[in-house]
Amino acid sequence: MASTPPHCSLTATKPYQNHQYPHNHLKNNNHRHAHQQNPHPHHWTSHKVSLTKPPLAPSPRNAPKPAATSTTSTQNPNSFHSLSPLPSSKSELTSDFSGRRSTRFVSKLHLGRPKYSMSTRHSSAAEEALQQVIQLAKDDKSLDNILLNFEGRLCGSDDYTFLLRELGNRGEWSKAIRCFDFAIKRERRKIDQGKLASAMISILGRLGKVELAKNIFETALEEGYGNTVYAFSALVSAYGRSGYCNDAIRVFDSMKSYNLKPNLVTYNAVIDACGKGGVDFNQVVVIFDDMLKNGVHPDRITFNSLLAVCSRGGLWEAARNLFSEMVNRGIDQDIFTYNTLLDAVCKGGQMDLAFEIMAEMPAKNLMPNVVTYSTMIDGYAKAGRSDDALNLFNEMKFLGIGLDRVSYNTVLSIYAKLGRFEEALDLCKEMESSGIRKDVVTYNALLGGYGKQGKYDEIKRVFGKMKADRVSPNLLTYSTLIDVYSKGGMYKEAMEVFREFKKAGLKADVVLYSALIDALCKNGLVESAVSLLDEMTKEGIKPNVVTYNSIIDAFGRSSTVECAVDDSDGAPVLQKGASNLNYAVAVDNKEGEEAGKEDNQIIKIFGQLAAEKGGQSKKDNRCRQEMLCILGVFHKMHELEIKPNVVTFSAILNACSRCNSFEDASMLLEELRLFDNQVYGVAHGLLMGHRDNVWGQAQSLFDEVKLMDSSTASAFYNALTDMLWHFGQKRGAELVVLEGKRRQVWENVWSDSCLDLHLMSSGAARAMVHSWLLNIRSVVYEGHELPKLLSILTGWGKHSKVVGDGALRRAIEVLLTGMGAPFWVAKCNLGRFISTGPMVAAWLRESGTLKVLVLHDDRNHPENVRFHQIPNLQMLPL
DNA sequence: ATAGGGTTAG
């Protein structure tokens, strides 16, 4: 094994949910490696906090994790040098942003808040010329004639710059370039040519034409009028705006060799570029320190851009410190400051704090605007607080704050995710009637929403409408659709989308590959998933923690699939999937030669796996192979320094639940130990029946888990319980489940009349059934009457994203039947078991019932045997 | 030179 990864304690998964550490970079692991090389990742917090005093008295929720040693004690706490970055940072960090940024920035371009130059230094002739030029068709050659006509009346670079800027504001970059070419020949003085060049570069940059900007810049350098701070600043900004932050930094660094000193604007531009490119905060602080060292005083925009760096990473504590630093330096805050700070706090999952900050804005004479609201709304939504999000939306409408494209899309995606399509469609209508056309983000949100609900007809309709509206699908559209179809087992459709995606000339990214890999995993084709993992690595696309979590979680699924298919009433979806898969391969072979290498590889893997599925022999053999395979996967994860997170831990526990032997599970737990001692300690301890010894440790683990969003937390409880249940530690499982209930991990699990298991895994649900029935039993024994109707809801089972998979329902059915509990399936709802109060009460009073309900650990620590088992049974004499 | 939205694991 390569170097042991740093101890990472529990690591949350969503940037929005991180209450303690700036570890959202765990989520998109592959461009966030800087901290991983730091042996003490938690020092980061102390670095930040040393900037100024923590704005809040530390509370259990926001207190920084104590670091093992102090690395900041010798530094001046009032200086930014105390923020000096950790000794690592790879420039590759941003490389895989390319796929993402292209779409992000393209869609932003359409929003383009036009920048009106308020300069009145131009002449009225320039205005006239502008009007004439605007009238022309795109590549009308007579543009030069117009300019020639005006030549005598236009006075110098100010007029030409005005023309360029106004054309730029109208998106007319090709006309602007023509004007520029015309003007540059007329100007004699280098200084004026330089002005024109930097204006042109900045205009092209603003329009996202970064290549053209670069050409202008290079020509300018060659011709001798480009070596100005302004031209360099403009190019830095152009690169930054398009997300090419490495290029921005390169240009910035190259200034030295031209003997140019970056000014305030240059520094602001490069810091802004870093924010957009997702550069690690510590790396940006290096630039900031450089700025201070060179005597350039940061201003409001510098701080706003630094805040933006924090917001990207959800580094809310660092953001607060920057804010305090602004105050200390006497720099006023503006609406950008607040909105960016709020974004950082929201992305850090601190919604209550965000609300407080928003509330303090009016006192500073800064009124929350549409950006403030959409930031907050999105924050609440991401934190799983949709009600708060929608309340804020109503508040915003009540206040008469006009909605714009982003706010519409933000709220729309909330409705779509919740499956509230009527409201989503109403919003679409409202949007269009206020003159905002649906864009690719709108459509993607709708497609994702329908996909989540398995509404495939709607998907077809919306996808068709999207094309009819001439909105081009982008990488995210295709990823969404491929994922949706794969999860539904509709491989034919998935492959069609994949082919269309290739035809569109887009390059697969880590998300798309992860979706494909997950599809294979969910169908038990783990080894194929691993081949695809290799394939993507060869393509130069780095897997991230999500990719790995899919694969780990799939361990052992191949045998599960076989069981499910054997089961007479089970898994129609899988079988259907298999046949579609064959079909897809057959169709594809016809066009196989046309397809690129990548496609072939993906199609081949699908085909191989389809074939492999037919042969059901040598199951044990496969398990052995899979074990080797999965150990290889862990090895690779260490090698690539991909930091595990709590989903990884859940995945390992799930994998344990699929082990036939304790020994196999131990091998996996050993991997868990290498990742995180605390989680290992709890899982292993409970598994071994050392409950008393580890319960304290378990409590603090649960405390940490509770800080995450509900689905992450419940997944962890589910995984832990399943593993314990699987190995017969049923009392342990019950304790975990009760703890989860106490901590509201699964919302409203039970009342006297109803047990809602739909968010639970099968082990957790079964343990919960026992507990609930015991609870009801005590109600009966206390002499109370039970409600007339009792029901147990299973839903579709949280574990399976395959719509209609009734694994949980079947497990509960078997359990209830086995116990002789008088429940039956409700006619109108297959996922619901019902009974009547009197019947259940009578059953609970039977002499044998208690014994069936009380759970024990099969594997018990010797000293615990007497203590736990006997009192629970309440019947055996000592 | 500055702010907000859509995709993958659970």
Side-chain angles (χ1 to χ4, degrees):
Chain A
M1 211 76 28
S3 64
T4 305
H7 169 78
C8 58
S9 180
L10 257 197
T11 49
T13 54
K14 296 181 179 171
Y16 321 101
Q17 298 305 328
N18 302 340
H19 294 254
Q20 284 186 304
Y21 318 122
H23 50 206
N24 73 297
H25 34 283
L26 299 184
K27 192 178 180 203
N28 298 315
N29 232 311
N30 35 354
H31 43 270
R32 302 277 193 175
H33 282 135
H35 293 314
Q36 291 170 22
Q37 294 168 345
N38 173 21
H40 304 290
H42 295 151
H43 288 185
W44 200 96
T45 316
S46 58
H47 274 267
K48 287 178 307 182
V49 172
S50 66
L51 172 58
T52 56
K53 287 196 178 94
L56 269 189
S59 73
R61 288 192 109 187
N62 59 24
K65 191 106 175 169
T69 58
S70 168
T71 53
T72 55
S73 53
T74 57
Q75 292 161 333
N76 175 1
N78 291 321
S79 142
F80 261 87
H81 297 281
S82 61
L83 263 174
S84 55
L86 301 172
S88 64
S89 287
K90 292 183 180 171
S91 49
E92 87 216 51
L93 298 185
T94 53
S95 59
D96 57 79
F97 251 98
S98 48
R100 224 167 285 206
R101 71 183 162 211
S102 52
T103 59
R104 225 188 127 87
F105 286 87
V106 165
S107 75
K108 287 223 163 208
L109 287 178
H110 302 300
L111 301 172
R113 289 174 286 270
K115 304 272 191 280
Y116 295 105
S117 69
M118 284 301 153
S119 150
T120 49
R121 285 152 69 181
H122 62 274
S123 65
S124 59
E127 304 245 10
E128 272 178 61
L130 174 68
Q131 290 313 317
Q132 293 195 18
V133 171
I134 290 171
Q135 303 302 318
L136 295 179
K138 267 238 169 327
D139 30 41
D140 194 324
K141 301 275 189 301
S142 53
L143 194 149
D144 285 23
N145 294 334
I146 297 177
L147 293 179
L148 277 171
N149 287 340
F150 277 95
E151 195 182 350
R153 293 165 58 204
L154 293 176
C155 39
S157 59
D158 280 346
D159 273 350
Y160 286 117
T161 310
F162 166 78
L163 265 177
L164 298 182
R165 290 214 181 278
E166 288 303 313
L167 288 171
N169 287 341
R170 290 165 175 76
E172 302 268 24
W173 54 270
S174 55
K175 286 180 190 170
I177 289 181
R178 282 192 93 89
C179 285
F180 171 76
D181 287 340
F182 181 92
I184 204 82
K185 282 182 237 149
R186 304 292 173 298
E187 293 293 349
R188 289 279 165 265
R189 302 185 316 175
K190 288 254 184 284
I191 198 163
D192 288 319
Q193 291 175 319
K195 270 189 200 169
L196 282 170
S198 34
M200 194 64 232
I201 294 165
S202 126
I203 287 158
L204 290 170
R206 204 165 274 163
L207 293 172
K209 303 287 167 193
V210 66
E211 274 303 312
L212 295 173
K214 183 182 153 220
N215 291 342
I216 301 282
F217 175 80
E218 281 173 352
T219 312
L221 267 189
E222 281 164 25
E223 305 288 324
Y225 55 85
N227 53 339
T228 69
V229 177
Y230 307 103
F232 275 81
S233 302
L235 189 63
V236 167
S237 158
Y239 276 129
R241 202 182 283 276
S242 292
Y244 299 106
C245 108
N246 288 337
D247 292 310
I249 294 174
R250 189 176 45 73
V251 172
F252 174 78
D253 287 338
S254 74
M255 290 177 74
K256 280 194 200 84
S257 53
Y258 289 89
N259 275 329
L260 293 171
K261 275 196 188 311
N263 63 17
L264 178 62
V265 174
T266 327
Y267 276 110
N268 287 351
V270 76
I271 290 172
D272 181 57
C274 291
K276 290 200 170 73
V279 175
D280 192 277
F281 181 59
N282 292 299
Q283 222 176 320
V284 182
V285 172
V286 179
I287 297 172
F288 185 81
D289 283 343
D290 185 60
M291 179 178 185
L292 297 180
K293 205 178 69 198
N294 290 318
V296 179
H297 293 294
D299 68 350
R300 193 181 67 245
I301 291 173
T302 318
F303 275 93
N304 288 350
S305 297
L306 283 168
L307 282 168
V309 177
C310 297
S311 99
R312 212 189 161 97
L315 308 179
W316 61 279
E317 292 161 298
R320 292 205 80 189
N321 290 330
L322 283 168
F323 188 90
S324 309
E325 182 66 19
M326 276 179 97
V327 176
N328 289 345
R329 285 174 178 256
I331 298 170
D332 281 341
Q333 295 90 49
D334 63 6
I335 186 78
F336 287 75
T337 315
Y338 268 95
N339 287 345
T340 316
L341 170 67
L342 279 176
D343 193 42
V345 176
C346 288
K347 291 213 165 50
Q350 308 294 312
M351 287 315 298
D352 295 333
L353 174 60
F355 190 84
E356 283 171 31
I357 294 172
M358 181 177 168
E360 80 186 33
M361 290 173 67
K364 299 217 182 174
N365 233 343
L366 294 169
M367 299 318 279
N369 63 9
V370 61
V371 177
T372 321
Y373 273 94
S374 50
T375 305
M376 290 292 293
I377 289 170
D378 187 61
Y380 276 127
K382 294 282 184 344
R385 294 167 65 172
S386 336
D387 288 344
D388 290 315
L390 295 174
N391 284 339
L392 219 47
F393 177 55
N394 286 328
E395 178 179 308
M396 174 186 175
K397 285 200 291 195
F398 178 79
L399 291 174
I401 295 175
L403 294 169
D404 64 1
R405 178 189 300 282
V406 174
S407 49
Y408 271 118
N409 282 337
T410 306
V411 180
L412 187 93
S413 92
I414 296 176
Y415 283 134
K417 279 212 179 81
L418 294 173
R420 291 163 65 168
F421 296 112
E422 268 189 39
E423 282 143 302
L425 292 178
D426 283 348
L427 216 55
C428 280
K429 278 185 204 137
E430 197 185 310
M431 193 173 166
E432 300 211 17
S433 66
S434 55
I436 301 172
R437 303 191 57 179
K438 294 204 278 293
D439 67 356
V440 65
V441 177
T442 323
Y443 277 108
N444 288 350
L446 285 172
L447 290 171
Y450 283 126
K452 205 157 264 154
Q453 308 286 326
K455 299 199 185 280
Y456 302 109
D457 292 343
E458 295 298 314
I459 289 180
K460 276 222 167 81
R461 186 181 61 76
V462 172
F463 195 39
K465 178 86 163 56
M466 178 175 187
K467 287 174 182 162
D469 284 355
R470 310 189 67 93
V471 175
S472 310
N474 63 14
L475 178 61
L476 273 75
T477 320
Y478 290 116
S479 302
T480 304
L481 288 176
I482 290 171
D483 181 58
V484 159
Y485 283 133
S486 301
K487 280 199 171 56
M490 301 168 71
Y491 295 101
K492 179 171 160 281
E493 285 79 359
M495 291 308 271
E496 271 165 16
V497 173
F498 181 73
R499 251 189 255 123
E500 191 183 320
F501 154 79
K502 294 306 289 186
K503 225 183 257 167
L506 296 170
K507 195 168 152 32
D509 70 347
V510 61
V511 175
L512 183 54
Y513 266 106
S514 298
L516 288 171
I517 285 173
D518 189 57
L520 295 173
C521 288
K522 288 287 182 297
N523 288 300
L525 308 173
V526 185
E527 285 170 72
S528 315
V530 174
S531 320
L532 197 49
L533 182 70
D534 288 340
E535 173 61 23
M536 73 184 273
T537 315
K538 274 185 208 135
E539 291 286 322
I541 297 160
K542 236 174 148 189
N544 62 24
V545 68
V546 176
T547 327
Y548 278 100
N549 287 346
S550 277
I551 293 184
I552 295 169
D553 198 84
F555 173 80
R557 251 187 234 270
S558 52
S559 34
T560 319
V561 167
E562 281 168 10
C563 295
V565 175
D566 290 343
D567 190 345
S568 54
D569 73 329
V573 176
L574 287 176
Q575 284 167 347
K576 186 174 129 225
S579 65
N580 277 345
L581 211 143
N582 282 321
Y583 177 71
V585 171
V587 169
D588 253 283
N589 283 343
K590 276 185 258 164
E591 301 169 15
E593 278 164 330
E594 292 168 36
K597 259 191 216 157
E598 242 174 284
D599 322 26
N600 271 342
Q601 182 63 25
I602 288 170
I603 287 156
K604 214 170 84 191
I605 285 169
F606 270 92
Q608 276 173 352
L609 299 169
E612 202 171 306
K613 236 177 176 177
Q616 296 206 1
S617 57
K618 33 179 187 171
K619 188 161 134 189
D620 284 345
N621 202 10
R622 179 188 292 177
C623 286
R624 284 262 69 78
Q625 276 179 358
E626 243 187 54
M627 180 56 92
L628 290 175
C629 189
I630 207 78
L631 293 179
V633 166
F634 281 116
H635 185 88
K636 207 67 198 172
M637 239 178 122
H638 288 292
E639 216 172 74
L640 294 175
E641 295 187 324
I642 290 174
K643 236 185 186 182
N645 58 26
V646 66
V647 182
T648 319
F649 306 149
S650 302
I652 295 176
L653 295 172
N654 284 332
C656 288
S657 300
R658 296 194 201 92
C659 287
N660 294 324
S661 73
F662 205 75
E663 287 66 35
D664 283 354
S666 301
M667 286 174 82
L668 292 173
L669 285 178
E670 178 59 17
E671 296 294 337
L672 178 59
R673 191 182 67 77
L674 292 173
F675 281 145
D676 190 295
N677 242 321
Q678 186 191 19
V679 181
Y680 167 80
V682 171
H684 181 260
L686 291 175
L687 182 60
M688 301 311 286
H690 302 169
R691 230 184 288 130
D692 296 339
N693 312 342
V694 297
W695 198 246
Q697 207 184 350
Q699 286 292 340
S700 64
L701 174 63
F702 294 149
D703 288 342
E704 282 193 60
V705 172
K706 190 58 207 170
L707 298 177
M708 304 176 183
D709 69 312
S710 62
S711 70
T712 305
S714 63
F716 181 77
Y717 276 84
N718 283 337
L720 180 58
T721 320
D722 270 1
M723 192 270 292
L724 295 172
W725 188 273
H726 177 71
F727 285 108
Q729 300 300 82
K730 297 186 177 174
R731 173 65 183 156
E734 185 183 12
L735 287 173
V736 171
V737 145
L738 282 174
E739 189 61 25
K741 178 188 170 293
R742 192 175 73 78
R743 291 165 179 265
Q744 301 267 317
V745 167
W746 304 278
E747 306 117 52
N748 306 321
V749 182
W750 84 33
S751 67
D752 282 355
S753 63
C754 184
L755 176 64
D756 185 351
L757 303 172
H758 83 277
L759 293 174
M760 308 187 77
S761 62
S762 68
R766 282 179 283 185
M768 191 67 97
V769 167
H770 280 263
S771 259
W772 182 67
L773 289 171
L774 278 170
N775 180 64
I776 288 194
R777 184 180 178 277
S778 57
V779 172
V780 171
Y781 272 82
E782 281 161 20
H784 303 295
E785 211 166 290
L786 289 181
K788 268 189 198 142
L789 182 72
L790 299 179
S791 43
I792 300 175
L793 309 175
T794 63
W796 283 339
K798 171 81 175 169
H799 252 20
S800 175
K801 289 201 175 171
V802 181
V803 176
D805 174 21
L808 180 64
R809 174 180 59 79
R810 292 197 299 277
I812 296 303
E813 188 164 26
V814 170
L815 179 76
L816 292 171
T817 313
M819 293 192 300
F823 281 85
W824 56 91
V825 176
K827 276 193 192 100
C828 54
N829 179 353
L830 287 181
R832 174 177 170 137
F833 298 93
I834 53 175
S835 188
T836 67
M839 280 179 75
V840 172
W843 172 69
L844 288 168
R845 285 179 189 281
E846 284 173 21
S847 60
T849 303
L850 179 63
K851 196 176 167 183
V852 184
L853 288 180
V854 173
L855 294 170
H856 314 282
D857 283 354
D858 287 352
R859 178 185 299 267
N860 223 319
H861 199 251
E863 294 124 69
N864 291 342
V865 172
R866 285 181 43 163
F867 185 71
H868 284 290
Q869 267 187 344
I870 294 168
N872 280 347
L873 278 173
Q874 291 172 2
M875 47 178 61
L876 294 175
L878 286 171

